Amino acid sequence: MSKSYQQKVLCIARLVILSLLFLLQAGCSIFNSSTISGYVPVEYDGTPGSNVLETAMSQIGKKYSYGKASPSQGFDCSGLIYWAYQSHGIAVPRRTQDQSKAGIRIKKADAKLGDIVVFKIGRRLHTGLVADKGRFLHAPSSGSHVRLESMNGVYWKPRVVGFRRMIF
C-alpha cells in the first residue's frame, strides 16, 4: 500500500469520525422543526386547553431539569405539563407514567391545543402538549430547553403512542 493511499484513507476516516461526533452531539436537536422551517407563532383559540398551552409556551427557552416543575428551577417533560395545568387550577398527575393514563384517551384527529401527547422512546415514556400545525411543546432532555417541535418529524412521528384530554 502506497503512502499516498494510506494518507487518503486516514483523511477519510477522520472526516467520518468528525461527522459522527457532530451528529451525536446534535442529538434530537437536528430534528427540531424550528431549525428547518423557522419559528411560526402558535395560533391560540381561547379555549381552556389553549390557555394552558399559552401558559406553558411562556416557558420556551427554560432549561430542562430532571424532577423539576417550576420556572425558577426548570422543567422535565411531565413537570412542564403539571405546572401549566396547575397554573389554571386543573389537577394533573406529576409523573409521565401517570400522565399517560390520565384524563380520557382521544384520537390524534381529535387532539386540540393543550391536550397531552404521549411518546414511547425505548422503554420510557415522554409527554408534551399539543400545539397547532402538528406541533407540540415539551422539555426534551438533559442539556436542552423547553421548545416546540413537529410531531410529524422523522424522530417523533413513529414514537407517538397516544393523546390524553384533561379538560372536558
Side-chain angles (χ1 to χ4, degrees), residues 22 27 48 60-61 63 75 84 88-89 106 110 118 121 130 136 148 150 159:
F22 171 76
I60 283 185
K63 69 177 181 172
F75 299 94
H88 290 271
I106 56 172
D110 297 329
V118 182
I121 302 170
V130 173
F136 71 104
L148 273 175
S150 172
R159 291 169 173 82

Side-chain angles (χ1 to χ4, degrees), residues 89-167:
I90 302 164
V92 171
R94 172 61 182 88
R95 295 178 8 167
T96 303
Q97 184 74 19
D98 299 327
Q99 288 178 359
S100 73
K101 300 173 188 169
I104 60 168
R105 184 177 180 90
I106 56 172
K107 295 177 184 176
K108 181 179 181 177
D110 297 329
K112 296 180 180 178
L113 300 180
D115 286 338
I116 297 172
V117 57
V118 182
F119 301 92
K120 186 163 185 168
I121 302 170
R123 294 185 342 205
R124 305 187 98 159
L125 294 176
H126 179 70
T127 52
L129 291 173
V130 173
D132 60 0
K133 299 177 181 24
R135 297 181 296 178
F136 71 104
L137 179 73
H138 69 137
S141 60
S142 185
S144 192
H145 58 278
V146 175
R147 65 180 181 229
L148 273 175
E149 293 198 57
S150 172
M151 276 186 269
N152 300 316
V154 295
Y155 183 80
W156 294 108
K157 187 175 183 176
R159 291 169 173 82
V160 174
V161 294
F163 295 85
R164 308 300 296 190
R165 177 156 301 143
M166 299 303 302
I167 302 172

Side-chain angles (χ1 to χ4, degrees), residues 11-26:
C11 183
I12 290 171
R14 286 180 181 155
L15 284 173
V16 168
I17 290 170
L18 285 173
S19 296
L20 288 173
L21 288 173
F22 171 76
L23 287 173
L24 286 172
Q25 193 172 25

Side-chain angles (χ1 to χ4, degrees), residues 48 51-59 69-71 75 79-92 129 167:
N51 295 337
V52 168
L53 176 65
E54 189 171 9
T55 296
M57 289 285 292
S58 71
Q59 301 306 303
S70 74
F75 299 94
L80 177 64
I81 293 169
Y82 173 81
W83 174 83
Y85 272 95
Q86 185 181 44
S87 296
H88 290 271
I90 302 164
V92 171
L129 291 173
I167 302 172

